[in-house]
Amino acid sequence: MTENDASETNTASGQELVPVTHFGYQEVPEPEKEARVRQVFSSVAERYDLMNDLMSLGIHRLWKRFAVDLARPRPGQTVLDLAGGTGDLAALLYRRIQPNGHIVVSDINPDMLAVGEKRMADKGMLAGVEFVEANAEALPFPDRSFDLVTLAFGIRNMTHPERALREIHRVLKTGGRVLVLEFSHPRWPGLQSLYDLYSFNILPRLGEMIAKDRESYQYLVESIRRFPDQETFRAMMEDAGLERVDVHNLSGGIVAIHRGFRFD
């Protein structure tokens, strides 16, 4: 759902219209979504990476390595890892941009950031790393600040992803690039039905057994289904001013990486 096509509700005649958006398969007032998403990730923060390993059979680590290879970070660059959460992507980037590189790990959820900072510290990777609690739809960074922006498995949870894309374009330097790694729409024949069976039957049960939180993982499954397909999201990136946007489907399109550049 984009900013322009959000539906609206009117609770009583004469009252101001309140925009609504999706939270999984539910429709909720826009102001409520951010709080609900915060609660989801506060609930799962401590077991987030373990659950990712179980849900993807560890393949999410290969997806992230491929994304970093595609990003081509270089020593000395300045990188923004949006929705950086538990810091696993930042750790991969860290090795590529040192010495003298700088990473800002940004997330809207302080519990996720706390987990990420602890894990980066345990790996001895705090030099040149900054953790910033921020909303990706209104970033607190100057124009043209970063050589590279990465965003893994976070944009589908945003109320206005088109605003986040415009902010990404704004903070990129000329010649900079962005990579968005996100669940997408399977392309292989027959894969969608198998994927649905696994997602709606297995993943919430894993959430209940491992994270003790079925509802949060039910939301995460539903949020994947609500996210636009590859071509629609490519168009959204182009509308935000990003150029030469290409798409790299992984695991038959279950996941896609969208890469774009700023040249102006």
Side-chain angles (χ1 to χ4, degrees), residues 22-79:
H22 61 83
F23 179 79
Y25 288 162
Q26 301 177 50
E27 298 293 326
V28 299
E30 278 190 5
E32 289 185 15
K33 179 171 181 176
E34 183 177 317
R36 290 195 181 201
V37 170
R38 282 178 183 267
Q39 177 57 41
V40 166
F41 285 95
S42 291
S43 174
V44 304
E46 290 292 337
R47 297 176 181 261
Y48 184 72
D49 285 340
L50 171 62
M51 283 297 300
N52 282 344
D53 283 333
L54 292 173
M55 291 189 301
S56 71
L57 305 178
I59 299 173
H60 76 102
R61 299 184 183 275
L62 299 179
W63 295 334
K64 290 169 183 173
R65 289 194 187 105
F66 183 84
V68 171
D69 287 342
L70 198 62
R72 299 177 184 173
R74 298 189 298 276
Q77 287 192 324
T78 301
V79 178

Side-chain angles (χ1 to χ4, degrees), residues 116-208:
E117 186 168 8
K118 182 179 184 302
R119 291 181 180 173
M120 293 287 283
D122 290 344
K123 296 173 182 177
M125 293 181 172
L126 284 185
V129 182
E130 183 180 359
F131 294 84
V132 176
E133 183 181 344
N135 187 332
E137 298 178 21
L139 293 171
F141 309 117
D143 295 355
R144 303 177 191 271
S145 300
F146 298 97
D147 300 292
L148 169 66
V149 177
T150 57
L151 174 52
F153 303 117
I155 197 163
R156 75 180 189 279
N157 298 306
M158 297 175 187
T159 306
H160 303 102
E162 69 284 349
R163 292 182 188 173
L165 291 172
R166 289 198 296 266
E167 282 290 272
I168 288 169
H169 178 269
R170 180 183 67 79
V171 302
L172 274 175
K173 297 178 182 178
T174 299
R177 69 189 68 194
V178 56
L179 278 89
V180 181
L181 170 64
E182 187 55 86
F183 290 105
S184 197
H185 293 244
R187 295 306 202 200
W188 293 348
L191 183 56
Q192 183 67 63
S193 58
L194 292 174
Y195 185 42
D196 285 344
L197 181 66
Y198 176 71
S199 299
F200 287 102
N201 291 279
I202 304 300
L203 297 189
R205 292 180 185 176
L206 280 175
E208 184 175 17

